[in-house]
Amino acid sequence: MKIVVLSGAGISAESGLPTFRGAGGLWNGVRAETLATPEAFADDPQRVLDFYNFRRAMVRDAEPNAAHRAVAALEQRHQVTVVTQNVDNLHERAGSTDVLHVHGEIMTARSSRTPSLKLAMQDRDIRLGDLAEDGAQLRPDVVWFGETVRHIDDSLDRIRAADRFLVVGTSLQVWPVADWVHHAVNAGERVIVAPELARCPDGFDWLRGNACEHVPRVAERWLDA
Ligand code: OAD
């Protein structure tokens, strides 16, 4: 079977990484425009770098959890694509091999002038004055508000072709990804795992609760299918 897993910050919450919205969220009491836009980086690059350096260190110290591992285990029997809004690398570290990072990757830096000039940045901070090959300041290789979401066509192709679709840990508040849940037209089963949701998308079974509780159960069932 072809399976697509669409994940958001909630799948990494039980690994100790904060979500964006809700209690304890990164955007709580902060305007996202002051930290996650090209304008914010132009205005106060140190503030933006500090925010991402802090989050990079948290990702480095975090471990994949039972939900990431269950998603990876699905590859034993199925063709699995993970479409993730997460910039962490916990899906890969759990063993998933086909991961589309639509909002970029925090463990990579890139030139602020030439997006294709990239550099692995696993072990240290990006500092003001760290330059790419083209002489421009390095920045995190993440997608900021106002920038183009990546892998749109690929993600939509995989979602449309999926036999099973699992959505986990996303508030579905950010476009265009929020709209992608409506494109799984061929899926025999559509499941969403979330402790709370403003509204369950049409055609989905909502498993109310945490990723580590529900994702391993869904994966076990799909491994037997
Ligand atoms: P959000 O923080 O908006 O939503 C996280 C969702 O996960 C919420 O619905 C929570 O209820 C749920 N959640 C919390 N703990 C959970 C757990 N243990 N198991 C399962 N679900 C849990 O995060 P995203 O939807 O990923 O973009 O946010 C989308 C985008 O908004 C992010 O990629 C980021 C942000 O602004 C950029 O920075 C461009």
Side-chain angles (χ1 to χ4, degrees):
M1 282 197 310
K2 292 183 185 134
I3 296 178
V4 173
V5 178
L6 174 65
S7 67
I11 197 171
S12 298
E14 289 160 272
S15 292
L17 301 182
T19 59
F20 292 92
R21 296 166 187 83
L26 290 166
W27 293 160
N28 242 347
V30 177
R31 285 187 313 123
E33 309 87 75
T34 63
L35 288 168
T37 58
E39 293 74 22
F41 189 59
D43 189 46
D44 192 346
Q46 188 65 61
R47 176 177 157 84
V48 174
L49 290 177
D50 286 347
F51 176 62
Y52 285 93
N53 287 336
F54 164 70
R55 288 178 55 201
R56 188 179 306 101
M58 278 198 295
V59 170
R60 209 183 291 129
D61 291 343
E63 296 294 333
N65 63 44
H68 298 106
R69 289 195 298 271
V71 169
L74 283 168
E75 291 190 24
Q76 290 163 18
R77 282 208 51 195
H78 303 294
Q79 188 182 323
V80 183
T81 299
V82 179
V83 177
T84 189
Q85 298 165 89
N86 297 346
V87 296
D88 68 52
N89 56 8
L90 296 182
H91 280 298
E92 289 90 339
R93 284 164 56 197
S96 286
T97 58
D98 185 21
V99 184
L100 301 177
H101 281 276
V102 300
H103 288 166
E105 296 181 61
I106 200 167
M107 291 310 200
T108 305
R110 73 150 167 99
S111 159
S112 47
R113 188 183 308 138
T114 317
S116 58
L117 280 182
K118 302 194 190 207
L119 203 70
M121 194 52 78
Q122 307 280 353
D123 299 329
R124 68 173 185 86
D125 290 352
I126 303 177
R127 291 178 299 258
L128 216 51
D130 285 346
L131 304 181
E133 275 170 48
D134 62 354
Q137 171 67 42
L138 286 176
R139 55 161 274 186
D141 188 28
V142 300
V143 173
W144 284 330
F145 291 101
E147 295 182 328
T148 310
V149 169
R150 300 180 191 172
H151 310 296
I152 295 179
D153 291 344
D154 250 8
S155 297
L156 283 172
D157 285 350
R158 312 287 181 93
I159 290 169
R160 287 193 187 108
D163 302 304
R164 295 280 185 280
F165 189 35
L166 172 63
V167 177
V168 50
T170 174
S171 61
L172 298 174
Q173 300 285 309
V174 173
W175 293 70
V177 178
D179 179 59
W180 295 355
V181 295
H182 306 299
H183 289 260
V185 287
N186 286 310
E189 217 182 311
R190 301 177 199 86
V191 178
I192 184 162
V193 173
E196 56 198 42
L197 272 182
R199 181 173 176 277
C200 177
D202 290 343
F204 277 78
D205 292 328
W206 177 11
L207 303 180
R208 207 179 290 244
N210 289 339
C212 289
E213 177 191 0
H214 288 295
V215 175
R217 289 190 205 156
V218 173
E220 213 167 291
R221 195 160 54 73
W222 287 356
L223 275 172
D224 287 340

